[in-house]
Amino acid sequence: MFDTLNGYNYKNLIVSGIKNLKLHIAEVNDLNVFPVPDGDTGTNMVSTLHNGYKAIENNPGELSELSKAYAKAVTFGARGNSGVIVSQFFYGFSKCFFDKAVADCGNFVNALRVGTSYAYKAVANPVEGTVLTVMREASEYVQAKYESGVEYIDDIIELFLEKARVSLARTPELLPVLKAAGVCDSGAAGFVYFFEGVKKYIDGTPIESDTTELDNDGFVDYSSFDKNSEFTEGYCTEFLLQLLEAYDEPDEQSFTAELEKIGTSVVTVFEGDKIKVHVHTDSPEKVMAFAHRYGEFLSIKIENMSVQHTLLQSQNKQPGVEILKEERFGEFSVISVTSDDNMKDIFVNMGSDIVIYSHGNVQPAVTDYLKAFECADTENILVFPNSKNSTLAALKAKDLYNRNVIIFDTKSDAECYAALSMIDFDESDISIVEETVRCVIENIYSVKIIKAVKDSKYGEVRINEGDYIGVYGDEVLSCRDDFSDCCEEVIDNVCRSKDWDVITFFAGDAELSEIENIRKITGNKYSGIETDAVETNSKNFATLISFE
């Protein structure tokens, strides 16, 4: 029985939760509202929680030390909406232990409550019937039970899990879109699986799952370099400096200014008697010599960016996130996100200064956005997340950055494509640029045509495996067994509601010849509308049809 929580048990509770969630990752991913093969909730949650665990894996420290390290790492490693929400739950949960060597039952109950509060704050418009509801109802339940007399943390975890399971089962009753699809909330399911792993730890039940499987450390073939190699990228230099009494006293402004003389992409974070530094430089030895005047290094990382570039090239088809930068000089920088290599090139050609390119549909983490912000050399940064599962991570990164970052709520590459085509990159007034982009996004309507991978029912719509469904948000506009019929029905339905100027077809799994045939039919039927086609490599839809 656990009447207190120490660092050892804190770490084991977390790793057991992650292991159990990993066992069910496919189930969580499959809990899609629509029968499509692009669910990534479980993947994002595991990746987020595992990123936090890597920060404490080899640390035998006390609860206060481990909780601080985990809270920070899980926040910066958050991927996708589900990842951001659970990261904030565990940030708030862990924050309650920052000043404790051990925590008692009351501290643990309070931590669950605070974690829930942080999770709700992470979402601009919290929706009940999601993981938020499960967190809240379970934490309220254990609070009431604790006040009635519960003495052990084991009992709190068991009660929390008991209520979380009941709350999970109720999510379809609270959220109609889940009931229509006949599924429970995927994020909530992942959260319950995590706490089932926690329960297994306190019960002494082993979990056969390897936490190291998620590591994506790449192999670099150093034999590709020789005496004639050119190293033009410089060095990414990062370190944590412990300030000391016997050394010089740094001034924050002058310290940063001096680093900017030696390198670029300078980021300095002063945290009490420590300084966290990031800088790109051709002379890391000069950076280190300068910083050494003020204290001693707690950690140092220097990476040759030419080697990093080679690594990214070798991993081109592996899951991961790559930050691509185009050297441009303007009043603002544009960051676009995509998992499609065709759209990656298109966005660069249309004016994106930086593209966050996700191999294998991996959602960018908060740290990926921060790296992209660091690459931007302007005070104003425009960001197009291009996925509903990427926006929260972008917003969290914005909160952690000190420049004017404008996040647009783009849910697909189509909206970004339309917005980029209308941006005046010579405009110096950022408010005008922002207004233009928001106007474009507000007046675009995009529908995915997706091939169903399993039989299901959505509301009154019966969907058979192999059917094509036209989806706008949570609404099914068409379900047909023929691709062309589905596209035509969607176009007819949308064109009845409004007069459009342009219809653009983004070809995914569908053959370009099929798209051209639909364009021809559309042109004959709606002669006043201009049509266009863009070829993509997306496997998440047959085609994406945008109306402007």
Side-chain angles (χ1 to χ4, degrees):
M1 302 289 283
F2 294 100
D3 54 359
T4 60
L5 179 75
N6 58 24
Y8 176 81
N9 290 327
Y10 169 87
K11 183 193 294 188
N12 282 302
L13 291 177
I14 288 173
V15 72
S16 296
I18 296 171
K19 284 182 176 181
N20 196 67
L21 175 55
K22 280 186 63 180
L23 291 177
H24 299 277
I25 195 170
E27 296 170 47
V28 177
N29 284 344
D30 286 344
L31 286 173
N32 295 333
V33 171
F34 295 107
V36 295
D38 62 347
D40 57 3
T41 297
T43 302
N44 288 334
M45 291 179 73
V46 170
S47 177
T48 297
L49 296 169
H50 184 255
N51 192 79
Y53 175 70
K54 286 194 293 185
I56 64 173
E57 182 176 12
N58 299 312
N59 188 337
E62 291 189 341
L63 178 61
S64 58
E65 181 182 353
L66 295 180
S67 60
K68 289 176 184 177
Y70 187 80
K72 183 176 182 179
V74 79
T75 296
F76 282 93
R79 294 185 188 276
N81 288 359
S82 58
V84 172
I85 292 171
V86 296
S87 78
Q88 290 309 285
F89 173 87
F90 284 103
Y91 180 88
F93 174 82
S94 300
K95 187 177 181 180
C96 295
F97 309 134
F98 282 5
D99 60 349
K100 291 177 171 54
V102 293
D104 60 22
C105 193
N107 299 143
F108 195 89
V109 171
N110 183 57
L112 294 171
R113 180 188 62 80
V114 173
T116 300
S117 174
Y118 270 79
Y120 267 86
K121 290 176 184 177
V123 183
N125 298 299
V127 176
E128 297 301 330
T130 64
V131 64
L132 294 173
T133 303
V134 174
M135 292 172 176
R136 178 179 55 77
E137 292 186 344
S139 61
E140 290 174 349
Y141 181 72
V142 297
Q143 179 70 50
K145 289 292 184 180
Y146 172 71
E147 292 171 357
S148 300
V150 177
E151 299 180 2
Y152 296 102
I153 290 175
D154 311 51
D155 297 327
I156 290 299
I157 291 172
E158 186 168 352
L159 290 167
F160 186 86
L161 179 58
E162 173 189 315
K163 185 62 176 180
R165 286 169 171 158
V166 173
S167 185
L168 171 64
R170 288 182 58 246
T171 56
E173 302 304 319
L174 298 176
L175 202 55
V177 67
L178 297 176
K179 189 170 186 178
V183 296
C184 60
D185 181 71
S186 56
F191 188 72
V192 169
Y193 281 131
F194 178 92
F195 272 91
E196 285 181 349
V198 172
K199 178 70 164 53
K200 288 179 182 179
Y201 170 69
I202 64 174
D203 289 344
T205 304
I207 303 172
E208 298 300 326
S209 177
D210 183 5
T211 60
T212 63
E213 290 176 6
L214 282 180
D215 288 331
N216 289 319
D217 296 330
F219 168 74
V220 183
D221 181 10
Y222 292 108
S223 66
S224 60
F225 300 97
D226 57 32
K227 291 182 179 180
N228 298 313
S229 297
E230 293 185 9
F231 295 89
T232 59
E233 303 291 336
Y235 298 85
C236 178
T237 305
E238 296 180 348
F239 56 85
L240 180 63
L241 186 70
Q242 174 64 63
L243 303 179
L244 297 172
E245 290 287 351
Y247 290 65
D248 293 345
E249 181 72 24
D251 171 75
E252 183 172 346
Q253 187 172 358
S254 60
F255 183 93
T256 303
E258 188 64 29
L259 287 176
E260 289 175 340
K261 295 178 183 178
I262 309 174
T264 61
S265 298
V266 176
V267 178
T268 56
V269 180
F270 284 70
E271 298 179 344
D273 60 357
K274 296 178 178 62
I275 308 176
K276 179 70 175 178
V277 173
H278 169 281
V279 58
H280 292 172
T281 178
D282 292 329
S283 307
E285 71 281 0
K286 292 182 180 179
V287 172
M288 307 307 292
F290 164 71
H292 207 185
R293 288 159 33 189
Y294 301 98
E296 295 293 340
F297 302 102
L298 298 178
S299 65
I300 299 173
K301 184 178 73 171
I302 301 175
E303 294 183 329
N304 187 316
M305 291 190 288
S306 295
V307 177
Q308 285 181 316
H309 179 74
T310 299
L311 172 59
L312 289 171
Q313 293 295 326
S314 68
Q315 290 181 323
N316 188 46
K317 295 183 179 179
Q318 299 300 318
V321 175
E322 181 178 354
I323 309 296
L324 306 171
K325 182 174 182 181
E326 185 76 7
E327 292 296 336
R328 292 194 175 94
F329 303 95
E331 296 294 328
F332 55 88
S333 296
V334 174
I335 298 175
S336 304
V337 181
T338 187
S339 59
D340 186 282
D341 55 0
N342 270 25
M343 296 308 299
K344 168 195 69 178
D345 296 333
I346 289 171
F347 288 157
V348 169
N349 292 332
M350 294 181 75
S352 285
D353 301 273
I354 297 164
V355 174
I356 301 178
Y357 175 47
S358 303
H359 307 287
N361 292 324
V362 175
Q363 291 294 340
V366 172
T367 48
D368 296 317
Y369 278 108
L370 288 172
K371 288 177 184 177
F373 296 167
E374 290 168 8
C375 289
D377 52 7
T378 56
E379 285 301 316
N380 298 300
I381 304 172
L382 310 182
V383 183
F384 297 89
N386 300 336
S387 167
K388 65 179 182 179
N389 287 325
S390 182
T391 303
L392 270 185
L395 290 169
K396 187 61 184 178
K398 174 184 176 179
D399 290 342
L400 299 169
Y401 208 64
N402 58 2
R403 294 187 190 176
N404 181 35
V405 179
I406 302 169
I407 311 289
F408 297 106
D409 189 21
T410 48
K411 297 179 176 62
S412 72
D413 287 354
E415 294 163 271
C416 181
Y417 181 87
L420 290 175
S421 68
M422 297 300 293
I423 291 178
D424 180 358
F425 288 90
D426 294 324
E427 177 59 61
S428 59
D429 189 337
I430 192 64
S431 63
I432 294 177
V433 178
E434 181 180 1
E435 183 180 355
T436 299
V437 171
R438 294 201 185 282
C439 182
V440 171
I441 294 172
E442 288 171 4
N443 289 283
I444 191 170
Y445 188 97
S446 56
V447 181
K448 283 184 179 180
I449 309 297
I450 310 167
K451 190 173 185 178
V453 295
K454 61 183 179 181
D455 294 343
S456 65
K457 186 179 180 183
Y458 186 80
E460 298 302 316
V461 180
R462 174 68 63 182
I463 301 172
N464 298 314
E465 180 181 349
D467 282 352
Y468 289 92
I469 52 177
V471 179
Y472 173 74
D474 295 328
E475 183 182 359
V476 174
L477 302 183
S478 174
C479 178
R480 306 292 290 269
D481 59 5
D482 181 78
F483 173 70
S484 295
D485 290 344
C486 182
C487 290
E488 288 184 55
E489 185 171 33
V490 164
I491 293 168
D492 289 342
N493 287 339
V494 175
C495 285
R496 287 193 198 102
S497 64
K498 186 176 179 179
D499 292 330
W500 303 97
D501 297 319
V502 181
I503 298 177
T504 305
F505 297 88
F506 295 83
D509 269 349
E511 295 291 336
L512 205 56
S513 59
E514 293 181 289
I515 300 297
E516 289 300 333
N517 182 56
I518 297 167
R519 279 186 67 191
K520 182 178 179 180
I521 294 171
T522 303
N524 292 335
K525 188 178 293 186
Y526 303 99
S527 58
I529 299 178
E530 179 185 342
T531 64
D532 192 14
V534 178
E535 189 173 4
T536 81
N537 282 328
S538 177
K539 302 301 179 185
N540 291 335
F541 53 77
T543 187
L544 175 65
I545 309 175
S546 72
F547 301 79
E548 301 174 55

